[in-house]
Amino acid sequence: MINNKTSSLIHSLTKQFTLFGLFGVVINLLGYYLFIISTSLLGLSPYLVISILYPLSVSLTFFMNRKYTFHKIKVQNKRKIIFLIIYFSAYILNIAILYIGLTIFLMPSSIVQGAAIILLGVYLFFMQRRYVYVWQ
């Protein structure tokens, strides 16, 4: 049997995951669209494009999730540093995924980046939920 505290936690997690996913989908679709234009039409390096788009999407994601998903008006400086470390680790993982997909598997950058967005989205949700926006 589920008690009220567990039920509240499940409800909160479901709502947060949904909002996090919604913001993630919208921001990442826009970023993915810009990635495709930059790499396919403009011929820019996928690594360069990710290096430019990443800080922009991280900033937008931080403000949207802080305000609407996790309802934090102010995040402690310690948590901001953890947030940056988490996103830096995701950036390194993104570059590694691109490198492996492009050089080892010889896949198109659009497919590799699409898969990276999905994998890293799940990673980022759970890392932020655990270390940045701690449920109280």
Side-chain angles (χ1 to χ4, degrees):
M1 182 143 227
I2 297 177
N3 63 30
N4 286 340
K5 187 175 181 180
T6 304
S7 178
S8 176
L9 176 61
I10 291 170
H11 175 73
S12 176
L13 255 177
T14 303
K15 183 178 176 186
Q16 287 176 348
F17 190 77
T18 302
L19 285 172
F20 185 89
L22 179 65
F23 292 134
V25 166
V26 171
I27 292 167
N28 281 299
L29 281 176
L30 177 61
Y32 187 66
Y33 176 72
L34 293 172
F35 179 85
I36 297 298
I37 289 172
S38 300
T39 56
S40 298
L41 299 178
L42 300 177
L44 297 175
S45 161
Y47 304 107
L48 173 65
V49 174
I50 284 301
S51 296
I52 293 169
L53 290 176
Y54 207 81
L56 298 173
S57 66
V58 167
S59 299
L60 184 57
T61 298
F62 175 77
F63 292 112
M64 296 301 287
N65 282 320
R66 180 184 70 183
K67 184 172 182 176
Y68 298 107
T69 303
F70 300 109
H71 303 288
K72 295 282 186 177
I73 303 303
K74 187 169 183 170
V75 177
Q76 300 169 348
N77 286 336
K78 177 184 171 188
R79 301 269 183 216
K80 288 178 186 175
I81 291 168
I82 293 169
F83 176 89
L84 291 173
I85 291 168
I86 290 169
Y87 268 89
F88 183 72
S89 71
Y91 170 75
I92 297 299
L93 288 169
N94 198 150
I95 294 296
I97 290 167
L98 272 174
Y99 179 79
I100 291 167
L102 297 176
T103 60
I104 296 174
F105 294 109
L106 305 175
M107 297 173 67
S109 62
S110 58
I111 302 236
V112 176
Q113 186 58 31
I117 288 170
I118 294 166
L119 292 171
L120 294 173
V122 173
Y123 166 78
L124 288 168
F125 173 78
F126 285 107
M127 292 298 283
Q128 287 181 78
R129 182 73 173 76
R130 172 70 173 95
Y131 297 108
V132 179
Y133 305 108
V134 179
W135 190 72
Q136 308 201 2

